[in-house]
Amino acid sequence: MQYNPGWNNSSINLLHVRAVGPSDTLHYIWSSIGAPAVLLVATESSSSALRVNWTQLLSPAPAGAIWIDPPSSVAYSAAVVFTKLFEYSEAKTLEELFYPMYDLSDFSWDGINRTLNHTALTAEFTGIPAADPGGSFSNGSLAFRVTAYEASGRDGRLPSLLHTANSSKVEFVLAGVAPRGNGSRFVLEVATVEETGVVQKLRSARSIDDEYTPTIFEMLSLVAESHNDSSALSFLQWKATAYGSQTPRREDSIQCRSHGLQAANWTLPASAIVHAYFGESVGSTYTVSAINISFGGEDGKVYEEKRYLSW
């Protein structure tokens, strides 16, 4: 794990996680410059290296500021961007009242160097809105906790997800943020960037009995597949549950729903590293998809009581 390689300023965050095999490398590049995002680059070389032109990356035109050396070693690249947080409450008439959304590219983020743990392979991106007129974040924050792994296994904490040495985990945490309505529910928008010829599919698998997360029967996967042979290139996988406690137990579970995958024909999400790596040719060379993940029980009361949400 490298923090801001080649740059000695902690007012911005770029975390490079590298997993090296005998003849290949996985590069995970996490950053909160703009909307929080992760780039995944798989290379067919055990000596491929991340290169960053910092002056260009922090300029208004970052295209081309991040690349992998040698470029010919890159076999696959994609990005996941956490773009927006919506909040809504249901009125008595079953109408939904949406509050002004939180654009995560307009957040200010703490330096992750104080949370970076090279032994546990963890780091935490914690942010608050740059402007918070209602004061909802005066005692709270939104965070993305990142974990890398050195071996295969299963997470000790619920929902006890499986992982390999190739996978990383990201946990979304809303802590202490004051809801703006009674029974507020939250929705996280997640966007993906893929090369043309790669198709995103949302898959759901149900198992009747999962001894590791009893009562949670659904596992969802956003899988990137090659057009040609349907082989899976990468995936984002989660159990259909969130939790209302820092030390989750079964009774702390919060319902978590996924709302259909949409082709997002808007511009590339406002993340500096995504622009820096993929450039500006998003409509022609890359496709952007988005999915909304919503959290809340039937009445949204769990968050209101606990003021804590982890997914």
Side-chain angles (χ1 to χ4, degrees):
M1 294 173 93
Q2 299 170 288
Y3 176 60
N4 289 355
W7 185 257
N8 57 4
N9 184 331
S10 62
S11 65
I12 49 163
N13 293 317
L14 187 142
L15 176 67
H16 177 214
V17 182
R18 205 168 49 123
V20 184
S23 59
D24 52 10
T25 306
L26 284 176
H27 298 270
Y28 287 94
I29 301 119
W30 300 86
S31 178
S32 59
I33 307 171
V38 57
L39 282 175
L40 166 62
V41 185
T43 72
E44 292 168 338
S45 161
S46 56
S47 58
S48 61
L50 171 70
R51 303 279 185 239
V52 182
N53 178 331
W54 284 97
T55 313
Q56 192 177 346
L57 178 63
L58 301 175
S59 78
I66 290 178
W67 69 99
I68 297 291
D69 223 2
S72 59
S73 66
V74 175
Y76 169 75
S77 52
V80 174
V81 190
F82 300 98
T83 46
K84 299 183 182 91
L85 181 72
F86 299 96
E87 180 184 347
Y88 70 94
S89 59
E90 283 192 356
K92 291 272 189 291
T93 55
L94 290 180
E95 288 177 349
E96 290 174 350
L97 168 67
F98 274 84
Y99 298 94
M101 62 95 173
Y102 296 112
D103 184 335
L104 301 191
S105 66
D106 291 336
F107 272 47
S108 56
W109 301 89
D110 294 348
I112 62 165
N113 54 339
R114 56 181 190 81
T115 64
L116 190 56
N117 185 325
H118 286 272
T119 311
L121 301 177
T122 55
E124 188 167 324
F125 295 81
T126 305
I128 58 171
D132 184 22
S136 290
F137 277 79
S138 52
N139 294 310
S141 64
L142 178 155
F144 293 94
R145 292 182 186 150
V146 175
T147 307
Y149 297 101
E150 287 183 308
S152 296
R154 192 179 277 279
D155 254 12
R157 292 181 59 203
L158 288 175
S160 310
L161 288 167
L162 276 168
H163 60 79
T164 71
N166 292 337
S167 35
S168 289
K169 178 179 77 168
V170 59
E171 180 185 2
F172 166 68
V173 179
L174 208 56
V177 177
R180 291 176 282 184
N182 290 330
S184 271
R185 301 180 199 185
F186 293 93
V187 180
L188 179 67
E189 182 184 80
V190 183
T192 62
V193 182
E194 295 285 352
E195 295 162 8
T196 330
V198 176
V199 190
Q200 281 280 3
K201 292 195 174 157
L202 180 63
R203 302 202 180 288
S204 163
R206 289 179 178 272
S207 57
I208 292 172
D209 178 35
D210 182 343
E211 60 184 302
Y212 296 98
T213 36
T215 74
I216 308 300
F217 303 124
E218 190 177 18
M219 171 80 90
L220 291 125
S221 305
L222 201 52
V223 184
E225 292 183 351
S226 164
H227 246 324
N228 302 340
D229 54 6
S230 298
S231 58
L233 298 165
S234 67
F235 62 87
L236 182 66
Q237 191 172 62
W238 64 95
K239 288 277 180 81
T241 185
Y243 293 96
S245 165
Q246 295 188 46
T247 50
R249 299 160 302 171
R250 277 171 58 183
E251 52 267 37
D252 298 316
S253 68
I254 296 174
Q255 194 173 39
C256 163
R257 288 204 181 104
S258 306
H259 303 267
L261 184 64
Q262 303 284 331
N265 294 329
W266 60 75
T267 51
L268 202 54
S271 160
I273 60 164
V274 172
H275 278 282
Y277 184 81
F278 291 106
E280 302 299 338
S281 59
V282 62
S284 51
T285 322
Y286 303 98
T287 50
V288 182
S289 309
I291 186 168
N292 284 343
I293 315 287
S294 68
F295 314 100
E298 293 311 310
D299 55 4
K301 292 290 185 206
V302 179
Y303 180 80
E304 204 167 331
E305 289 162 11
K306 307 273 180 90
R307 295 279 171 103
Y308 190 87
L309 169 70
S310 142
W311 171 64

